[in-house]
C-alpha cells in the first residue's frame, strides 16, 4: 500500500497494536502513526505497554458503540466525524474493522477516511466480501463465519448481535468505494472462503484503494 518511512498513518480500529508495533519501527523520524479504537482497555495497553515513541506514535480512545467491544459506547459510528483535518494522512489501515460495521457505518467511515487522506493516499482494508464464490461456499456452510442471516447489502453471522461479523455484497461495496472517491488498486481473496491450503493468505479479503 505504499508504506514509506515518512508515511503519516491512520489505523482505524487499532486493537492491541498488531499494526502499531511493527509500524513503530518501520516509520522514520518524519513519519507518524495515529490509531484509535472503541475499546478503552486496548488503547490503554497500546499507549502504556508497547514502549513506542509517543511523539510519533499516538493512540486515541473514541467512545463508539459496539455490541462486541464497547456496548456502553455513546458515539454512533454511523455519524462519527474523524477529529483530523482534510489530507492529514498518506495511508489508512483498517484490518478487521469493516467486518464489524453496519452498511451505514461503512459508508461513513469510507468517506471520513477519504476526507482525511491526502490525494493519492491509500487505504489498506479487509472485508468479508459476498460474491458468487463466497456465496456458494456459505451455502455449503464451509466458511467461518457462516453468515446465515441476510441484511440490507449483505449478511451477518449472528442476527442477535449483527456487528459480531458482517459480510457485504461485492457490487454494493464496489459502488460505495467509487462514490466515496477511491480507485481500487488491488483485491485479494482471503482464507475464510475455504482456502485452507493457502496458509500465506490473509484470513479476510484484502482491498487496497487510492484516493482520487
Amino acid at each position: 500500500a505504499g508504506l514509506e518511512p515518512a508515511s503519516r498513518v491512520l489505523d482505524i480500529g487499532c486493537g492491541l497494536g498488531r499494526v502499531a508495533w511493527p509500524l513503530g519501527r518501520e516509520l522514520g523520524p518524519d513519519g507518524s502513526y495515529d490509531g484509535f479504537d472503541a475499546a478503552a482497555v486496548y488503547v490503554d495497553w497500546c499507549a502504556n505497554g508497547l514502549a513506542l515513541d509517543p511523539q510519533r506514535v499516538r493512540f486515541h480512545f473514541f467512545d463508539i458503540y459496539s455490541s462486541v467491544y464497547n456496548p456502553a459506547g455513546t458515539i454512533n459510528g454511523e455519524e462519527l466525524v474523524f477529529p483530523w483535518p482534510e489530507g492529514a494522512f498518506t495511508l489508512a489501515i483498517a484490518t478487521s474493522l469493516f467486518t464489524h460495521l453496519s452498511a451505514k457505518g461503512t459508508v461513513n467511515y469510507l468517506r471520513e477516511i477519504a476526507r482525511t487522506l491526502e490525494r493519492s493516499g491509500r487505504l489498506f482494508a479487509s472485508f468479508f466480501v459476498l460474491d458468487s464464490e463466497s456465496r456458494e461456499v456459505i451455502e455449503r456452510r464451509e466458511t467461518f463465519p457462516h453468515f446465515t442471516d441476510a441484511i440490507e447489502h449483505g449478511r451477518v453471522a449472528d442476527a442477535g448481535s449483527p456487528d459480531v461479523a458482517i459480510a457485504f455484497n461485492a457490487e454494493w461495496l464496489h459502488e460505495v468505494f467509487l462514490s466515496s472517491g477511491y480507485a481500487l488498486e488491488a483485491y485479494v481473496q482471503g482464507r475464510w472462503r475455504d482456502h485452507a491450503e493457502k496458509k500465506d493468505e490473509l484470513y479476510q479479503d484484502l482491498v487496497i484503494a487510492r484516493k482520487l
Side-chain angles (χ1 to χ4, degrees):
L3 178 71
E4 298 178 351
S7 291
R8 305 187 305 276
V9 178
L10 176 63
D11 186 10
I12 308 105
C14 61
L16 287 165
R18 64 179 177 179
V19 171
W21 177 252
L23 284 193
R25 288 154 173 76
E26 292 289 336
L27 294 172
D30 296 325
S32 65
Y33 168 100
D34 284 274
F36 73 83
D37 204 276
V41 65
Y42 291 178
V43 173
D44 289 343
W45 157 247
C46 289
N48 299 307
L50 295 182
L52 297 171
D53 179 4
Q55 299 301 314
R56 296 185 304 112
V57 180
R58 300 171 289 265
F59 299 97
H60 314 268
F61 168 64
F62 298 161
D63 194 24
I64 305 163
Y65 170 80
S66 165
S67 69
V68 180
Y69 298 104
N70 190 18
T74 60
I75 299 173
N76 183 352
E78 296 176 355
E79 301 172 355
L80 176 67
V81 177
F82 292 1
W84 292 283
E86 295 182 8
F89 302 103
T90 61
L91 172 62
I93 299 172
T95 54
S96 198
L97 168 81
F98 294 106
T99 56
H100 302 290
L101 291 182
S102 68
K104 289 183 179 179
T106 294
V107 171
N108 182 51
Y109 273 59
L110 284 175
R111 289 175 178 173
E112 281 297 290
I113 292 168
R115 181 184 66 80
T116 53
L117 278 175
E118 70 174 24
R119 180 166 293 185
S120 295
R122 287 182 171 85
L123 167 62
F124 177 104
S126 66
F127 295 84
F128 292 122
V129 179
L130 296 174
D131 53 28
S132 57
E133 181 193 65
S134 61
R135 289 188 183 98
E136 181 179 335
V137 291
I138 286 171
E139 292 303 322
R140 298 199 305 263
R141 297 185 68 83
E142 294 177 354
T143 64
F144 183 81
H146 295 312
F147 296 115
T148 54
D149 297 284
I151 59 168
E152 186 178 18
H153 307 306
R155 295 188 184 191
V156 296
D158 183 350
S161 185
D163 50 350
V164 167
I166 298 176
F168 292 117
N169 296 327
E171 301 82 2
W172 176 81
L173 195 58
H174 187 212
E175 288 299 322
V176 172
F177 266 101
L178 295 181
S179 65
S180 299
Y182 299 91
L184 297 181
E185 292 198 332
Y187 173 58
V188 181
Q189 294 179 344
R191 286 188 290 112
W192 77 281
R193 301 159 165 268
D194 194 35
H195 293 178
E197 73 281 4
K198 298 182 179 179
K199 299 299 184 183
D200 57 335
E201 285 185 353
L202 216 68
Y203 183 68
Q204 297 170 0
D205 301 318
L206 169 64
V207 174
I208 297 177
R210 176 174 51 85
K211 179 183 175 180
L212 296 173

